[in-house]
Amino acid sequence: MRQLSLPLGILLAASLAALALSVSVGSVNVAAGELWAVLRGGGEALSRTLVLELRVPRSLSAFAVGGLLAVAGALMQVLLRNPLADPYVLGLSGGASVGALAAMLGGMGGMVISGSAFGGALLSTLLVFGLAHGTGSWTPSRLLLTGVVVAAGWGAVITLMLAISPAERLPGMLYWLMGDLSYARTPWPPMTLLMAVCLLVIPLGRSLNVLARGPLQAAALGVSVRPLEWLIYIAASLLTAMAVTTAGSIGFVGLVVPHMLRLVLGNDQRLILPACALAGGTLLVLADTLARTMIAPEQLPVGVITALLGVPTFLYLLYRSR
């Protein structure tokens, strides 16, 4: 238990520090003393508005989205036994984006957009896994190529949808597709889903450890392989859909975070999954803070920052897996 609690405690402290930094800095900085006064219910009216109504919801949304993507990536990497598996690379984010955009263009909102995003992510999951598996077994190259092709197909559909969209809605949709937290004002739905999925899958850590060795070994050791695989399909699709609905398509968080944690903490899913939730959230909070402050008062899409981190990592993993 101590082996699990120490790294998680360190990651929790890092998460709180990242959140404090995020709500303190921006186009207008808030001093530490003023921030503490605001959090205690005092402070100036301008500071309270800036911190409580703008920065805290955005920072918590960034934390939740980062955790969602990192846990989804970790689950997919267990299922496919491939460190290159990631919701963005394999097309899940593209499928969720198509579903969400279709609902938006249809004038829908709220739960309909989330449901459409989930449907698109689940369809993309089944397409990639089904086509990559074929009549044989998964291989890293087959899986990667299938995911890239499916992601390219979703990209073509997104381009078509943008081409037929009203001109006045294009800038906002494009910015959202690049990963945008500017309008993330309700962090509780993604945060609730993140905690619920973690509470569901962390007790299955032993079974996931066995599944990571392969389905035949897992079945021989008494693991119900098919129900566990379907649970991972649905959980990864739900996590990706909620992340896309909240902040658009943000890439490579689910690739970078699980890989880095495995290098440091090993491959025990009982530790990796909660660590991914904390580290993924911390990474995206810091990336969003950087996106807000690099060219302040203008803001960059946070997906640009994560891509700059993720592309070199992806190329390195691809080179190492030759």
Side-chain angles (χ1 to χ4, degrees):
M1 183 62 68
R2 180 180 296 179
Q3 294 177 342
L4 299 179
S5 61
L6 179 59
L8 292 180
I10 294 173
L11 287 172
L12 179 59
S15 301
L16 295 176
L19 288 170
L21 176 66
S22 178
V23 299
S24 298
V25 302
S27 56
V28 176
N29 293 333
V30 178
E34 181 67 14
L35 176 61
W36 179 244
V38 169
L39 294 178
R40 294 178 60 188
E44 299 179 358
L46 178 60
S47 297
R48 288 200 303 271
T49 301
L50 183 64
V51 171
L52 299 179
E53 297 183 17
L54 297 177
R55 290 185 182 172
V56 167
R58 177 168 178 162
S59 297
L60 290 177
S61 296
F63 182 86
V65 170
L68 292 171
L69 293 172
V71 172
L75 289 174
M76 293 172 65
Q77 289 168 18
V78 168
L79 178 65
L80 302 180
R81 301 174 297 284
N82 188 337
L84 296 173
D86 166 72
Y88 186 82
V89 174
L90 296 182
L92 271 72
S93 294
S97 298
V98 168
L101 280 177
M104 291 177 187
L105 291 176
M108 306 298 178
M111 294 299 296
V112 177
I113 293 179
S114 299
S116 298
F118 170 67
L122 184 59
L123 175 61
S124 187
T125 303
L126 297 177
L127 276 175
V128 171
F129 294 169
L131 293 174
H133 191 278
T135 57
S137 59
W138 288 306
T139 63
S141 58
R142 181 188 296 175
L143 176 71
L144 181 60
L145 288 174
T146 305
V148 169
V149 170
V150 170
W154 290 130
V157 174
I158 290 172
T159 302
L160 176 63
M161 296 172 74
L162 293 175
I164 63 176
S165 300
E168 64 272 11
R169 300 181 63 178
L170 277 178
M173 294 171 67
L174 286 171
Y175 212 80
W176 175 78
L177 285 170
M178 290 186 287
D180 182 24
L181 286 156
S182 300
Y183 299 99
R185 296 289 181 264
T186 54
W188 307 118
M191 191 72 75
T192 301
L193 179 63
L194 176 62
M195 291 188 292
V197 171
C198 286
L199 290 175
L200 175 65
V201 299
I202 289 173
L204 301 175
R206 291 183 181 274
S207 298
L208 293 172
N209 287 337
V210 177
L211 183 64
R213 297 178 177 271
L216 294 179
Q217 293 91 327
L221 292 172
V223 175
S224 299
V225 174
R226 186 58 60 184
L228 186 58
E229 288 181 340
W230 274 104
L231 176 63
I232 294 176
Y233 292 154
I234 295 172
S237 300
L238 265 176
L239 295 168
T240 304
M242 181 59 75
V244 169
T245 303
T246 304
S249 183
I250 298 175
F252 300 107
V253 175
L255 173 74
V256 173
V257 173
H259 175 68
M260 295 303 176
L261 289 176
R262 288 193 190 96
L263 292 178
V264 178
L265 304 178
N267 204 26
D268 188 349
Q269 302 306 316
R270 295 171 297 176
L271 175 59
I272 290 296
L273 290 173
C276 280
L278 293 171
T282 302
L283 174 64
L284 198 60
V285 167
L286 293 175
D288 182 55
T289 304
L290 187 60
R292 288 191 292 109
T293 56
M294 279 185 67
I295 55 173
E298 300 296 327
Q299 299 184 19
L300 293 172
V302 69
V304 173
I305 306 298
T306 60
L308 290 175
L309 296 173
V311 169
T313 305
F314 179 82
L315 293 175
Y316 167 73
L317 290 174
L318 187 62
Y319 173 79
R320 204 179 69 169
S321 63
R322 290 182 306 170

